[in-house]
Amino acid sequence: MISFYPGPSRVHNEIPRYVTDAFTQGIMSINHRSETFVKMSERTITLLKEKLSIPRNYTVFYTTSATECWEIISQSLVNGKSYHLYNGAFGQKWYDYTQRLHPEAEPFAFDREQQLDARKLNLSTEPGVICITQNETSNGTQVSNRAIRAIRKAYPEHIIAVDATSSMAGVVLDFKAADVWFASVQKCFGLPAGLGLMICSPQALQQAAALGENKHYNSLNVMAEMMAKWQTSCTPNVLGIYLLMRVLEKMPPIAEVHAELEQRYTDWVSFLQKRNVMRHLVDNAAVHSHTVIPVTAEPDMLTAIKKKALKQGLLLGEGYGNWKTTTFRIANFPALKAAEIRTLKNLLKTFD
Ligand SMILES: *Cc1c(COP(=O)(O)O)cnc(C)c1O
């Protein structure tokens, strides 16, 4: 079965071999305070920064998921105000979670067809955390690096946190333009679920230190103290970190991955333009995600497409939330093979 689900999705072909290596080399049983772990952790983070072009002075943390990152930001960086800019289900979920800890959290929903525009925001000058979902997996839209830079410029004193769960390791992200970036590895990284990554600027860590929140095992201050020694405050997903290291060793620099995915995305758009019974859910191509492609069709047609795909061993992503009965989603993640994409296109063509 080839999974085109936008996460968890197809994993890299090499994963079974890496898992075997981890077993033979005893990685699965190492102690997370051991020299072996520390070296592996340092190497993984060094590779991640190199391959994704993350500024050297940013700190990388291991978490369990993107959801945990929402919680960490809320408990360790928000001090009253947070501003949630979103146009879909994941951004809204982040707002909902934050609101439970901080009732002052403010939602700023924007139109799915519009690029997020710093000039139209009228946020309080009171410092706070601005929360942006860079790639909205539910509806296949994305916020551009340029839009994030404009927000940085308009709100230089705020902490900017970015959910890049379904785009990190697939597209070029301007890490300098925000303070906190996070993702989980079951999307563009092509790895099994169970590991999240959170990347923080020096300003974010200063903010955490100033707030001094340290009540939880995953308080950012506690995590930062451990990460100074390349370690974690609980036993981490050691196998997940090892697999990430092995995948990163083989990964081309992000600019190359980005170019390849952008080409594949462009091909998908022109393919969909030629179809009679389905089309891209979002009209404005300027806001299209390059990694998640939502396709809309009549409910009966949708059911037929998904059923036929499944018969051929292709799993399509269900539509999300309100769009469940009228859309399916196609992951455009690096681990998917050109031949697999061709197979899916040939199948979709049969419905014309
Ligand atoms: C998948 C996803 C999440 C949730 O990731 P978990 O690893 O399940 O916590 C959060 N945000 C976005 C944008 C996602 O695509």
Side-chain angles (χ1 to χ4, degrees):
M1 177 73 66
I2 300 299
S3 176
F4 279 89
Y5 226 101
S9 190
R10 188 199 200 292
V11 298
H12 290 288
N13 274 353
E14 295 81 8
I15 297 296
R17 184 158 58 82
Y18 297 160
V19 172
T20 307
D21 288 352
F23 178 71
T24 12
Q25 292 168 18
I27 299 292
M28 291 182 186
S29 320
I30 60 170
N31 188 289
H32 57 296
R33 306 287 172 229
S34 67
E35 181 68 15
T36 314
F37 176 81
V38 167
K39 279 203 172 125
M40 179 176 89
S41 170
E42 177 177 5
R43 177 163 168 71
T44 307
I45 289 171
T46 307
L47 279 166
L48 186 80
K49 287 184 164 185
E50 221 174 85
K51 295 292 169 87
L52 299 191
S53 296
I54 297 168
R56 279 208 198 152
N57 62 354
Y58 278 43
T59 307
V60 177
F61 298 98
Y62 305 113
T63 65
T64 57
S65 63
T67 304
E68 189 192 358
C69 298
W70 290 340
E71 186 97 354
I72 294 170
I73 292 164
S74 184
Q75 80 192 2
S76 297
L77 287 172
V78 176
N79 181 21
K81 284 263 178 223
S82 61
Y83 310 92
H84 298 261
L85 324 179
Y86 61 84
N87 70 1
F90 283 99
Q92 165 143 26
K93 229 175 175 178
W94 185 1
Y95 162 68
D96 290 340
Y97 273 100
T98 308
Q99 212 230 356
R100 287 183 218 164
L101 291 181
H102 299 281
E104 289 167 69
E106 280 186 44
F108 290 81
F110 63 97
D111 192 299
R112 185 180 80 197
E113 297 285 344
Q114 307 266 300
Q115 185 57 259
L116 181 56
D117 186 347
R119 288 165 306 183
K120 289 191 191 139
L121 295 169
N122 204 357
L123 309 184
S124 148
T125 47
E126 206 181 312
V129 180
I130 300 176
C131 302
I132 305 169
T133 303
Q134 192 275 328
N135 199 71
E136 182 47 77
T137 321
S138 68
N139 60 22
T141 61
Q142 68 171 332
V143 175
S144 67
N145 282 319
R146 186 199 278 194
I148 297 174
R149 281 193 289 269
I151 292 170
R152 165 86 297 161
K153 211 164 156 212
Y155 299 97
E157 302 301 323
H158 291 60
I159 292 287
I160 302 178
V162 184
D163 181 340
T165 305
S166 52
S167 55
M168 190 186 290
V171 306
V172 171
L173 298 169
D174 185 359
F175 289 99
K176 284 188 312 304
D179 301 296
V180 183
W181 297 80
F182 57 90
S184 37
V185 300
Q186 72 273 20
K187 311 223 169 150
C188 284
F189 284 93
L191 286 159
L195 179 66
L197 294 166
M198 190 161 101
I199 301 163
C200 295
S201 72
Q203 291 80 348
L205 296 186
Q206 280 158 17
Q207 162 83 351
L211 291 181
E213 189 282 307
N214 61 4
K215 291 198 208 100
H216 307 268
Y217 81 96
N218 60 359
S219 294
L220 195 48
N221 288 318
V222 175
M223 291 172 64
E225 211 171 286
M226 296 309 294
M227 195 37 82
K229 303 172 279 184
W230 305 103
Q231 293 180 34
T232 50
S233 56
C234 62
T235 314
N237 181 347
V238 175
L239 178 60
I241 295 169
Y242 175 80
L243 296 177
L244 173 63
M245 179 185 79
R246 295 293 301 268
V247 163
L248 287 170
E249 283 169 349
K250 282 277 167 62
M251 183 185 159
I254 190 65
E256 278 176 45
V257 179
H258 181 110
E260 165 91 24
L261 285 195
E262 194 171 22
Q263 182 59 52
R264 286 180 175 192
Y265 152 77
T266 310
D267 292 346
W268 268 118
V269 168
S270 53
F271 172 86
L272 289 170
Q273 275 164 353
K274 293 185 201 117
R275 305 280 71 79
N276 303 319
V277 297
M278 61 189 90
R279 59 181 177 83
H280 198 291
L281 172 72
V282 181
D283 295 326
N284 180 6
V287 300
H288 280 176
S289 160
H290 288 173
T291 53
V292 178
I293 298 160
V295 183
T296 180
E298 290 300 319
D300 289 350
M301 179 57 69
L302 194 75
T303 311
I305 294 169
K306 283 196 297 202
K307 203 168 149 195
K308 191 162 176 188
L310 216 51
K311 252 194 198 150
Q312 286 204 19
L314 304 171
L315 179 68
L316 293 170
E318 295 281 347
Y320 204 92
N322 296 342
W323 301 296
K324 201 173 172 78
T325 54
T326 50
T327 66
F328 63 91
R329 291 172 302 155
I330 303 171
N332 185 31
F333 293 166
L336 287 154
K337 302 275 180 229
E340 293 159 359
I341 298 169
R342 261 197 314 276
T343 308
L344 176 57
K345 283 183 178 165
N346 286 337
L347 174 130
L348 294 176
K349 266 191 209 163
T350 63
F351 288 92
D352 280 349

